[in-house]
Amino acid sequence: MSELKRARIPHPLILMTGCIVFAALLSYVLPAGEYERKEDPETGRSVVVADTYQEVASNPVDLFQAIVALPRGMAEAADVIFLVFLIGGAFTVVDETGTLRRAITALVRMLRGRDLLVIPIVSLFFGAGGVTQNMQEEIVALTPVLLILTTRVGFTPLIAVAMSAGAAVVGSAFSPINPFQVLIAQSVADLPPASGLGFRTVFLLAAMALWIGITMRHAQRTRITPRLVGISTNERMSGRDLLVLAMVAITFVLIVVGLLQWEWGFNELSGTFFIMGAIAGLMSQLGLTGTAEAYVRGFREMAFSALLIGFARAIFVVLDDGQVIDTIVHGMFQPLAGLPPLASALGMVLTQAVIHVPVPSVSSQAVLTMPLLVPLSDLLELPRQITVLAYQYGGGLTDLLTPTNGALMAILAAAGVRYDDWLKFTLPLYLSLVVLGGLAVTVAVSIGLT
């Protein structure tokens, strides 16, 4: 009887395959349609031309074509998949040096009796990653290290995901400077990059405080017996360990600068992490062979997680082949035109949340939806900044839940956390954060934020 009560969401591969088949079914149910597109000279991205939607000849995707979308999805997500492999290999090398384990031991020793402080420390680190670089895929490779930390202090694997991936998503959604989200949206909306920075920062701090507080409370309620998991409490960090950690920190700083100043993409990130791992291995006397073997182990451990990212991209491929993505967007936004300004703004939050399920890339969602919403907001005399806020909070926060977010599914798989257990923890927090985002939009409307 208890087994019946504890009905489980299927294995991630089954869930993702089901989503692909469902996307194919939508191509039979929904009318095919598309908007005209043009290249934005500032961003170089293809953006939608408002008021150009028209129905086109139906192009349903049959079951075989849907399955063929799997390798196509993996090919389209190749840069992200290779990033996961190379980060995984690099941090496996760093882990082989023993530096991370000794650093965890030092942190636990320093916080003895105050273990809950691990959560805000780690959450703020990953939250900052979300704020500055939309960090998600990079977390997949760090999950084994996080599991060592949480097991060492008596937290469940779910807490490892919450204080890493969860904090990063919250940071990304409320960020004032995320180059893959708010800066793209502001560019499409013809707004200055730093506009609304102070306003966003206030609600970013509130959102992070809410996420960290609830995560700490859940961790306290679900504590387990701490285990050493192979870590000697007598180990001390050496000068070489400090050099390795400094190099890791420099790598992250370099990545942030590259993303913000040098227009780096996933390939540059992959190369940077590969170099970091190679130097760490040689500095720690693993040798060329030892470093190469560590890379191979890392690649092997990341294989399933990388596969899930390709499966998630295949869902978008099927919807795009069926030419129903623009139909979904058109159907969601059209009713907003007849609403009062505040109701329209809040409606944008909800519709952006729904659209993020079939369009899981926040940057793609920005260039798809913002050209449609900017003329609507102008018509309603609604400041464009509010339209950007609605996109951020609606689309960004949905990354906490949607199974089409390949990075989230990969992190859950790497941590051994079931998707339904994650939903049970996250859904109330997600709703609270959406309410907070709705409050931010309401305040922005009332003060006429520009």
Side-chain angles (χ1 to χ4, degrees), residues 68-393:
V68 170
L70 286 172
R72 291 175 57 205
M74 292 175 197
E76 289 195 9
D79 52 356
V80 179
I81 290 173
F82 290 139
L83 174 66
V84 169
F85 273 121
L86 290 172
I87 292 179
F91 276 98
T92 298
V93 172
V94 175
D95 187 47
E96 287 291 319
T97 68
T99 295
L100 295 177
R101 286 176 169 81
R102 287 188 285 272
I104 288 171
T105 299
L107 177 62
V108 172
R109 188 184 300 115
M110 182 178 66
L111 297 176
R112 190 175 301 280
R114 304 186 301 276
D115 293 342
L116 277 176
L117 292 180
V118 165
I119 293 174
I121 292 173
V122 175
S123 295
L124 289 174
F125 170 78
F126 284 102
V131 168
T132 56
Q133 60 173 343
N134 205 57
M135 177 185 281
Q136 283 195 43
E137 287 84 1
E138 300 89 335
I139 300 171
V140 179
L142 298 174
T143 303
V145 179
L146 290 165
L147 291 176
I148 293 173
L149 173 59
T150 53
T151 305
R152 179 68 180 82
V153 296
F155 298 152
T156 64
L158 188 145
I159 298 301
V161 179
M163 65 185 187
S164 57
V169 169
V170 173
S172 299
F174 284 86
S175 172
I177 58 171
N178 182 347
F180 297 102
Q181 195 171 134
V182 62
L183 296 187
I184 288 178
Q186 287 180 327
S187 176
V188 175
D190 197 24
L191 293 170
S195 58
L197 188 146
F199 182 89
R200 284 181 172 84
T201 300
V202 170
F203 284 93
L204 167 66
L205 295 175
M208 289 300 300
L210 174 63
W211 183 267
I212 292 172
I214 298 300
T215 301
M216 292 176 70
R217 187 178 71 173
H218 185 80
Q220 184 65 35
R221 291 178 174 178
T222 59
R223 293 202 77 144
I224 58 178
T225 303
R227 291 190 293 117
L228 295 181
V229 292
I231 302 176
S232 171
T233 56
N234 296 321
E235 284 188 301
R236 294 290 187 272
M237 293 188 66
S238 65
R240 185 179 288 116
D241 290 332
L242 294 176
L243 285 175
V244 171
L245 288 178
M247 188 184 60
V248 172
I250 290 171
T251 299
F252 276 100
V253 171
L254 183 62
I255 284 170
V256 171
V257 175
L259 289 168
L260 296 178
Q261 301 294 329
W262 303 331
E263 298 183 355
W264 276 12
F266 288 114
N267 292 333
E268 287 79 7
L269 300 186
S270 297
T272 303
F273 277 110
F274 180 82
I275 293 170
M276 181 199 78
I279 295 175
L282 297 177
M283 282 178 54
S284 301
Q285 299 180 331
L286 290 179
L288 289 174
T289 300
T291 301
E293 290 174 346
Y295 263 110
V296 171
R297 283 191 293 274
F299 297 157
R300 190 182 301 120
E301 291 171 0
M302 290 297 106
F304 177 55
S305 299
L307 189 68
L308 288 177
I309 293 172
F311 269 64
R313 184 64 64 90
I315 299 170
F316 178 83
V317 169
V318 171
L319 292 171
D320 191 46
D321 285 351
Q323 294 184 290
V324 294
I325 289 180
D326 287 3
T327 299
I328 294 171
V329 172
H330 178 72
M332 294 296 297
F333 286 143
Q334 196 175 30
L336 298 180
L339 298 177
L342 178 58
S344 181
L346 295 176
M348 288 178 189
V349 175
L350 297 178
T351 51
Q352 290 282 15
V354 174
I355 287 170
H356 193 65
V357 177
V359 188
S361 166
V362 288
S363 55
S364 295
Q365 185 170 349
V367 297
L368 174 63
T369 62
M370 292 306 297
L372 305 176
L373 290 178
V374 166
L376 174 61
S377 61
D378 291 345
L379 180 66
L380 297 172
E381 297 184 350
L382 195 65
R384 295 183 177 187
Q385 196 69 254
I386 294 167
T387 305
V388 176
L389 289 176
Y391 150 74
Q392 277 189 265
Y393 303 148

Side-chain angles (χ1 to χ4, degrees), residues 53-75:
Y53 175 82
Q54 60 181 352
E55 291 191 12
V56 297
S58 179
N59 187 39
V61 178
D62 62 34
L63 182 59
F64 180 70
Q65 291 173 320
I67 300 304
V68 170
L70 286 172
R72 291 175 57 205
M74 292 175 197

